[in-house]
């Protein structure tokens, strides 16, 4: 509530980053439950290369179109959806 007594929520420019961070956390939790066996192998190789061999690689990200046929989410707007598409490396048709 504002000083004027108005109830509401302010959505600033940081909402896209905040939404992306929240969804990334949720997807990180769900990924092990939906990954294919091949993706488990790729993830294991990635961890070995990073942790044992010390290679400067980014953490493994599964190819979502290989392990999920459909999923739906309401992210709140076009910019957020495009950010998710880019962050999840989804094709333009997604």
């Amino acid at each position: 509530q504002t000083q004027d007594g108005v109830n509401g929520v302010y959505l600033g420019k940081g909402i896209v980053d905040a939404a992306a961070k929240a969804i990334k956390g949720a997807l990180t939790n769900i990924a092990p439950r939906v990954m294919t066996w091949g993706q488990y192998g790729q993830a294991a190789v990635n961890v070995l290369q990073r942790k044992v061999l010390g290679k400067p690689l980014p953490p493994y990200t599964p190819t979502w179109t290989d392990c999920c046929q459909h999923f739906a989410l309401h992210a709140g707007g076009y910019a957020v959806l495009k950010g998710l598409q880019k962050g999840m490396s989804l094709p333009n048709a997604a």
Side-chain angles (χ1 to χ4, degrees):
Q1 187 172 17
T2 66
Q3 294 175 348
D4 300 332
V6 177
N7 288 324
V9 176
Y10 172 74
L11 301 176
K13 291 182 180 181
I15 190 69
V16 174
D17 292 334
K21 182 186 265 187
I23 292 172
K24 180 180 179 181
L27 291 173
T28 299
N29 288 334
I30 202 170
R33 295 173 178 89
V34 298
M35 287 176 17
T36 64
W37 288 108
Q39 289 174 325
Y40 277 117
Q42 292 171 348
V45 168
N46 179 274
V47 169
L48 288 173
Q49 288 179 336
R50 287 186 302 117
K51 303 287 182 175
V52 177
L53 301 178
K55 290 188 178 181
L57 298 172
Y60 176 76
T61 302
T63 303
W64 294 101
T65 54
D66 290 346
C67 57
C68 294
Q69 291 179 358
H70 305 282
F71 63 91
L73 56 99
H74 180 338
Y78 182 79
V80 175
L81 290 173
K82 285 299 176 185
L84 286 171
Q85 180 182 23
K86 180 181 175 186
M88 293 175 65
S89 302
L90 295 173
N92 287 334

